[in-house]
Amino acid sequence: MIIKSQMTIVVLPGLDGTGTLYQQLAQQLAPDYELQVIAYPLDQLWGYSELLDYIRPQLPQSPYLLLAESFSGPLGILLAAEKPHYLKALVLCCTFGRNPLPAIKGLASAVDKLPWNELVHHWTALWLQGRYASPQLSALMGNALMMVPEQVIKHRAKQTLQVDVLTEFATLTLPMMYLQARQDRLIWAFNAKTLKKLQPDMQLVRLDAPHFLLQAIPDQAAWQLQLFIEEHLVSAQQQQSMQLA
């Protein structure tokens, strides 16, 4: 039987990949659930394929839920499609299955020309936070962005504009939930709708939050994760055990 203390929540982080933005979420989930954040190398121009190879050996050898945020959504989908033995559920947060900005033509070629400095970090963080902006959250995000070399950030950004894992997503059979931010200025609502159309049974939860949902409202995010686990994993295992008894 799966019980709370046995369920690890593995987090695949957003574009920065530093894994430094989840302390409050971890605090909200403790002591019932352990959060394992897989940070990505800061010095590698890796695409999704190389990152998959990097992530696989770090996955738990015990039951876990995969939480894939923003940039890492395709990674979560590709990993789930491989059907790892201990993976019990997939949660996608503010993410996509293919190019999330198809309406902006020529964006991939423009990425390399975009300025990237401390001032840009600051205003990018503020813009993505919207009315949820706070000095603490802005500093946290700005510091995360400053840790990653410009060429790495831009390489990852270009990967998002080229990826398409909808075919793999359509094959998934495990419990799934999508956390959507109503005030997301980056990943527009049609991305969630596209995934929902392919997987009608996927639970879609809309929350009043900016793109940085897990950081802006960690208490609500943790609550939704707990409800999802209780309903789809713990309760399901309990019912199965009762039937076998």
Side-chain angles (χ1 to χ4, degrees):
M1 178 188 300
I2 296 175
I3 58 177
K4 290 181 179 181
S5 60
Q6 294 175 334
M7 176 64 64
T8 300
I9 298 176
V10 177
V11 179
L12 303 182
L15 190 68
D16 65 285
T18 62
T20 61
L21 302 176
Y22 303 98
Q23 183 176 356
Q24 287 186 307
L25 181 63
Q27 291 172 351
Q28 292 290 331
L29 289 165
D32 291 333
Y33 301 102
E34 176 188 356
L35 211 66
Q36 176 190 344
V37 183
I38 299 181
Y40 304 148
L42 299 177
D43 58 350
Q44 299 293 330
L45 297 180
W46 284 352
Y48 284 114
S49 178
E50 292 86 356
L51 285 169
L52 278 174
D53 292 338
Y54 177 79
I55 292 167
R56 286 191 196 96
Q58 302 185 60
L59 295 173
Q61 295 301 302
S62 59
Y64 66 95
L65 175 150
L66 196 59
L67 171 56
E69 181 190 23
S70 191
F71 165 80
S72 288
L75 290 168
I77 292 169
L78 290 171
L79 283 168
E82 295 176 358
K83 299 183 178 180
H85 178 69
Y86 292 105
L87 177 60
K88 301 302 178 182
L90 174 65
V91 175
L92 301 171
C93 180
C94 302
T95 189
F96 47 89
R98 64 181 175 193
N99 179 4
L101 300 170
I104 305 179
K105 297 180 179 180
L107 185 58
S109 60
V111 168
D112 287 327
K113 301 177 183 178
L114 295 175
W116 198 251
N117 52 49
E118 187 173 350
L119 183 60
V120 174
H121 299 165
H122 173 74
W123 286 109
T124 298
L126 284 177
W127 179 73
L128 289 175
Q129 291 172 72
R131 64 185 177 88
Y132 295 85
S134 69
Q136 296 80 9
L137 193 54
S138 296
L140 186 66
M141 294 175 182
N143 290 337
L145 290 173
M146 288 178 63
M147 291 172 61
V148 190
E150 176 181 350
Q151 64 270 28
V152 174
I153 284 285
K154 290 183 175 180
H155 182 76
R156 290 176 185 166
K158 287 189 287 186
Q159 297 301 303
T160 69
L161 304 176
Q162 300 165 3
V163 72
D164 188 339
V165 296
L166 294 184
T167 298
E168 290 84 355
F169 181 74
T171 68
L172 301 185
T173 57
L174 76 174
M176 288 184 285
M177 176 171 68
Y178 187 107
L179 296 177
Q180 181 181 19
R182 292 183 185 275
Q183 280 76 49
D184 197 330
R185 293 177 171 178
L186 184 61
I187 306 300
W188 302 338
F190 76 85
N191 289 286
K193 291 179 180 178
T194 298
L195 296 176
K196 180 70 171 175
K197 187 177 295 185
L198 291 171
Q199 291 281 0
D201 291 335
M202 180 181 70
Q203 183 178 347
L204 178 59
V205 178
R206 298 182 178 93
L207 299 172
D208 286 324
H211 180 67
F212 292 108
L213 184 154
L214 300 176
Q215 293 76 29
I217 54 168
D219 54 341
Q220 295 182 51
W223 176 243
Q224 292 297 333
L225 287 167
Q226 290 171 326
L227 289 177
F228 178 75
I229 293 172
E230 289 283 350
E231 178 180 355
H232 293 280
L233 301 180
V234 177
S235 297
Q237 286 293 318
Q238 290 173 344
Q239 292 175 5
Q240 184 178 2
S241 297
M242 291 175 62
Q243 292 173 356
L244 295 175

